[in-house]
Amino acid sequence: MSGVARIGHGWDVHRLVAGRPLVLGGVDLPSDRGEDGFSDGDALLHALIDALLGACALGDIGGHFPPGSEEFRGICSRVLLAKVRDLIAAAGFRPLNVDCTVALERPRIFPHVPRIRRTIAEDLGIPVESISVKGKTGEGLGPVGEGLAVEAWAVALVEELPR
Ligand code: MG
């Protein structure tokens, strides 16, 4: 690493409702309930986007992609992640590694983690070894534990490239 390291943090929560796909990290998971939301509701990618923007002090997801704006209705959050990747690159930053945690009662995300990591690595253009994704349950407690919500947290380390 030749530049200055900067860290960012992101968090997101989405309500789980019947009749919506459950999308996490750009991957469709088998589930009878999915995230409610203006976009595809991918809480994991939304937390990650905020972590990346936060590391670069470039605002937040709601500022860049306002919910209610027709151009973002139902949009795949991978498209938003790619836009953020380009945005931070244009500002002179490069992602080094990310670490994400998803709290979801069911289904367990563990079997899907390899595919989620590959998807994020591909979208960010960094090695899969630099992407960590971990699943937790709510232990039956609170909105996550009762299966009413999915929550996600992410931290991202970026390098500020010398100009
Ligand atoms: Mg969100």
Side-chain angles (χ1 to χ4, degrees), residues 19-32:
R20 290 269 301 181
L22 180 64
V23 188
L24 284 167
V27 172
D28 272 293
L29 305 193
S31 174
D32 57 354

Side-chain angles (χ1 to χ4, degrees), residues 6-141:
R6 298 169 56 128
I7 195 165
H9 171 256
W11 168 84
D12 198 24
V13 63
H14 278 261
R15 221 177 263 278
L16 293 174
V17 295
R20 290 269 301 181
L22 180 64
V23 188
L24 284 167
V27 172
D28 272 293
L29 305 193
S31 174
D32 57 354
R33 295 160 72 80
E35 295 111 331
D36 198 12
F38 191 74
S39 65
D40 62 3
D42 189 331
L44 172 49
L45 291 193
H46 294 178
L48 178 57
I49 285 170
D50 265 353
L52 290 164
L53 289 171
C56 309
L58 284 172
D60 65 17
I61 187 169
H64 288 279
F65 313 111
S69 165
E70 276 313 309
E71 103 186 76
F72 303 123
R73 181 185 294 280
I75 198 166
C76 169
S77 294
R78 290 184 69 184
V79 175
L80 305 183
L81 181 62
K83 285 178 190 282
V84 165
R85 174 199 63 209
D86 293 347
L87 192 101
I88 68 175
F93 297 96
R94 186 170 69 96
L96 293 174
N97 77 294
V98 304
D99 183 25
C100 313
T101 301
V102 176
L104 177 69
E105 203 65 8
R106 62 183 181 279
R108 298 293 193 260
I109 75 157
F110 182 75
H112 309 284
V113 162
R115 201 165 143 221
I116 293 171
R117 289 177 66 210
R118 282 197 304 273
T119 302
I120 294 172
E122 190 180 308
D123 289 348
L124 289 183
I126 64 176
V128 72
E129 294 77 18
S130 302
I131 311 292
S132 163
V133 175
K134 311 184 300 294
K136 309 285 284 184
T137 72
E139 293 284 337
L141 298 167

